[in-house]
Amino acid sequence: NTYTRELNEALFLIESLETGKFEKKFTGKKAIIGHSRGGALAILAAFESKRINALALYASISKLDRFTSRQKKEWKLKGYLEFKNERTGQIFKINSSFLEDLEKNKKRLDLESSLKSLDIPILIAHGTEDLTVPISEAIQLYEWSKKDNVEFIKIERLGHTFGCEHPLKSVPLSFENLLEKTYFFFKKNLY
């Protein structure tokens, strides 16, 4: 997996919606909601496609290159990078092709320039207690965006998943509230 593969897949889905590959053509206004890394992908897809009319970024990252020079050196040497999922304890490996893609496509994967170029409504929602993606990254996204089009919601005492847990047995009120705010944001800006 690579960032550009994910971006190309998102662009394919947007195009497929419009060309009728999903039963019938959809020519209406479109919005994307992206969480964490998906928020970065949503920014890039909106910028490249020019056919997204609004974004909602939930606990989004503000930079794709999140690795130290020491990690990159080890990664290139071993051909993979291992990391531990702190929640599950699982060890994951990321192939060096992921890093190669990141380095080769810096310009295409530039969140700052993409966000600065977007002239669409954007909702940025971030929990103040997010230990996975610090709220400083949401502030950075806000700083890069066109303020006239942005609503920034800091959600007090919530972390990266807005109160949701895996597996999801019930939707917490905190997340229902965020979904409701997102619905009204899209309704106000798309219709």
Side-chain angles (χ1 to χ4, degrees), residues 73-110:
K73 185 177 177 181
E74 179 184 335
W75 201 342
K76 289 176 182 177
L77 190 65
K78 291 169 88 176
Y80 62 88
L81 179 69
E82 289 184 331
F83 69 97
K84 183 179 181 179
N85 181 319
E86 295 301 325
R87 186 179 51 78
T88 65
Q90 292 173 286
I91 303 294
F92 293 101
K93 288 184 181 180
I94 305 175
N95 196 330
S96 60
S97 59
F98 187 90
L99 178 60
E100 292 162 8
D101 176 72
L102 179 61
E103 292 176 339
K104 180 181 170 189
N105 294 290
K106 278 186 189 280
K107 187 173 181 177
R108 184 178 184 204
L109 300 172
D110 184 347

